Amino acid sequence: MNSIRDELEFILSGRTIPYNKVAVVLMLVITLILGAMISNNTILEGKIAVIDMDNSKYSRDLIAKMNASEFIKVTEVIHSPVAAEKLLYHGKNLGVIYLPQGLEEARWKGDSSIHIGTLYDRTNSAQCAELTIAVNEIIQGENGEIGGPRIGKMGLSSEQNEAIVAGIGISDRQLFNPTGSMADGIVVGLLYFLSTIIYTLVALQIIAHLKIRNKWEEEILSGNPFRLLGRLIPYAVMLISVLIFGMAILRWVQDFRFAGNILAYMFSLIIFAMSMGMVGLIFGWSANDPSDGSSKMILLVPPGFIFGGMTLARAYLPDWVAIVSKLWPLTWQFDFLRDFAIRGALLRDMYIPYCEYILYMLVIAAIFFAKYFKEYNRLIENKKCENPIL
């Protein structure tokens, strides 16, 4: 009994991770907040782009029928040739529908040589199931509109009748991860998740360690916030190195796909490491003990992993949750990982996302600088009170 009492007193003393508080907060976050955020069990209004090369009344009617489905949302219709992959960058769409030229004429003539092309983003193997079913059902419904009585009135040959009965053909293509490789999803996602946990724990404890070593006031009164930020650099370099070597090993021993330019992608890792590090410093600012800072890690890393789309498809999330998920740096980094590594985006395709990512980092930096100079002014005032001559 003495050991139990002693351990309870130690937990409540504030000298270790406050397990009682962390456990309750985690339970409330999962049951109330996370449960509300992940309330959809199906993907409604899955976004697709349509390349309509036919541009006929029939193709426009077909697009309207697709857009009327509760499982499909047509985001854009293009009437000129374009690389379908570019329409899937940044998660803008889950799929692309290609309507070939001559579709309407072939439909009514019974020419089965022309097919509708469907291309789906398989960076997450679970996100296109409902969309595929919905598209196939619409095409099947189109095929059923021409029945036996109408065929009989057309005076077509038996081969043409059979083609009409067979209806519109569909050519499916699964892009980026057609085999559903685990290395391209969960495995590389866990590599980033666990590496970020360790890095964030260190960042959360930096300020507490400075206070324990009696170097906190010296660090602040130097008046140079970059001096404090410099303490992140050794850890950031190690984080980036671990992630790059980890992906190299996955590519070597597994079937991990990295189709983009690693040098163009590395810039995003620098932004991620500094953003995550600054977030750790901000949340660990008031900690006087390393355990106080590390207990906040649960709020900084796991949400980014959950909403980042490496396990749960982001298409399952309501729109407002997708917006809120941008609060976590790991969510941003997973977007860049999918675009560069899995989808093979080029640097010129990533200018706008990079500008947004840099702006995000600058907002975090502004919060950090505000806290730094607020603490600087407070310590200067304290010094003046202690020594009026100053």
Side-chain angles (χ1 to χ4, degrees):
M1 292 298 295
N2 289 334
S3 61
I4 296 175
R5 187 183 304 110
D6 180 64
E7 196 62 29
L8 285 172
E9 291 175 355
F10 182 65
I11 292 173
L12 299 174
S13 67
R15 290 177 291 169
T16 185
I17 294 177
Y19 176 75
N20 54 324
K21 297 179 182 178
V22 173
V24 172
V25 169
L26 182 61
M27 177 271 294
L28 293 175
V29 167
I30 292 176
T31 56
L32 299 180
I33 300 177
L34 196 59
M37 288 181 165
I38 311 177
S39 57
N40 294 342
N41 57 5
T42 187
I43 296 177
L44 299 176
E45 295 191 338
K47 297 178 180 178
I48 65 168
V50 178
I51 302 175
D52 181 10
M53 300 301 296
D54 195 40
N55 196 18
S56 60
K57 181 180 183 302
Y58 175 70
S59 66
R60 289 190 291 271
D61 290 344
L62 184 59
I63 293 170
K65 289 181 180 180
M66 290 182 183
N67 202 34
S69 170
E70 63 177 332
F71 299 106
I72 301 174
K73 179 180 180 181
V74 178
T75 58
E76 55 186 321
V77 179
I78 302 170
H79 300 292
S80 58
V82 62
E85 291 84 353
K86 293 182 180 295
L87 300 175
L88 302 176
Y89 289 166
H90 328 315
K92 291 189 300 184
N93 297 294
L94 296 179
V96 177
I97 307 297
Y98 178 79
L99 304 179
Q101 187 174 2
L103 176 65
E104 182 177 46
E105 182 181 0
R107 177 69 180 100
W108 296 109
K109 283 186 176 181
D111 183 359
S112 59
S113 63
I114 293 183
H115 287 65
I116 290 176
T118 56
L119 304 95
Y120 299 108
D121 183 351
R122 280 291 299 270
T123 51
N124 187 301
S125 57
Q127 66 185 5
C128 293
E130 290 92 348
L131 182 61
T132 304
I133 294 172
V135 171
N136 289 343
E137 286 180 348
I138 291 172
I139 302 303
Q140 289 172 6
E142 286 294 302
N143 293 337
E145 285 189 0
I146 299 182
R150 293 182 61 189
I151 293 176
K153 295 178 182 180
M154 289 182 179
L156 302 178
S157 65
S158 58
E159 291 80 6
Q160 289 175 319
N161 289 341
E162 291 176 1
I164 290 178
V165 172
I168 303 172
I170 301 177
S171 296
D172 278 343
R173 185 181 173 193
Q174 307 294 327
L175 298 179
F176 310 130
N177 186 16
T179 60
S181 169
M182 299 293 283
D184 287 350
I186 294 176
V187 177
V188 72
L190 287 173
L191 169 66
Y192 275 72
F193 174 52
L194 298 176
S195 300
T196 304
I197 283 179
I198 298 172
Y199 175 71
T200 306
L201 284 172
V202 172
L204 284 166
Q205 297 177 15
I206 287 177
I207 291 176
H209 282 302
L210 288 173
K211 292 176 180 178
I212 292 173
R213 295 154 60 192
N214 296 320
K215 292 186 175 183
W216 175 240
E217 289 192 5
E218 175 188 345
E219 196 77 21
I220 297 298
L221 292 175
S222 70
N224 182 9
F226 293 100
R227 178 172 164 176
L228 180 56
L229 286 178
R231 295 182 178 273
L232 292 172
I233 293 178
Y235 305 108
V237 171
M238 285 185 272
L239 172 67
I240 295 171
S241 301
V242 165
L243 293 176
I244 291 176
F245 279 110
M247 288 188 292
I249 293 173
L250 284 176
R251 184 172 176 82
W252 181 41
V253 301
Q254 298 287 332
D255 53 352
F256 175 64
R257 169 190 172 96
F258 199 104
N261 188 312
I262 186 65
L263 294 179
Y265 175 69
M266 278 184 63
F267 184 53
S268 72
L269 287 177
I270 295 173
I271 298 174
F272 168 66
M274 294 310 299
S275 299
M276 196 75 247
M278 285 189 289
V279 168
L281 291 176
I282 291 169
F283 276 82
W285 199 271
S286 60
N288 295 313
D289 187 90
S291 61
D292 291 340
S294 59
S295 65
K296 298 174 183 177
M297 183 279 299
I298 196 71
L299 301 175
L300 305 182
V301 182
F305 178 65
I306 295 170
F307 300 131
M310 299 306 287
T311 52
L312 173 70
R314 297 189 69 188
Y316 281 103
L317 303 176
D319 290 341
W320 68 271
V321 177
I323 295 173
V324 171
S325 69
K326 289 293 187 178
L327 291 173
W328 287 276
L330 195 56
T331 300
W332 286 83
Q333 194 55 40
F334 280 147
D335 285 343
F336 275 80
L337 177 64
R338 280 190 293 270
D339 277 337
F340 272 114
I342 314 302
R343 298 186 181 115
L346 301 176
L347 182 59
R348 64 173 176 265
D349 301 315
M350 300 297 292
Y351 284 148
I352 293 178
Y354 257 133
C355 289
E356 294 172 346
Y357 204 5
I358 292 171
L359 180 62
Y360 170 77
M361 181 182 67
L362 292 177
V363 170
I364 296 174
I367 297 172
F368 169 78
F369 287 136
K371 290 187 73 68
Y372 180 93
F373 286 110
K374 181 180 179 180
E375 182 70 8
Y376 173 80
N377 293 330
R378 186 186 71 82
L379 291 178
I380 290 294
E381 289 298 322
N382 289 346
K383 292 291 183 181
K384 289 181 179 178
C385 294
E386 293 172 3
N387 190 352
I389 298 178
L390 299 176

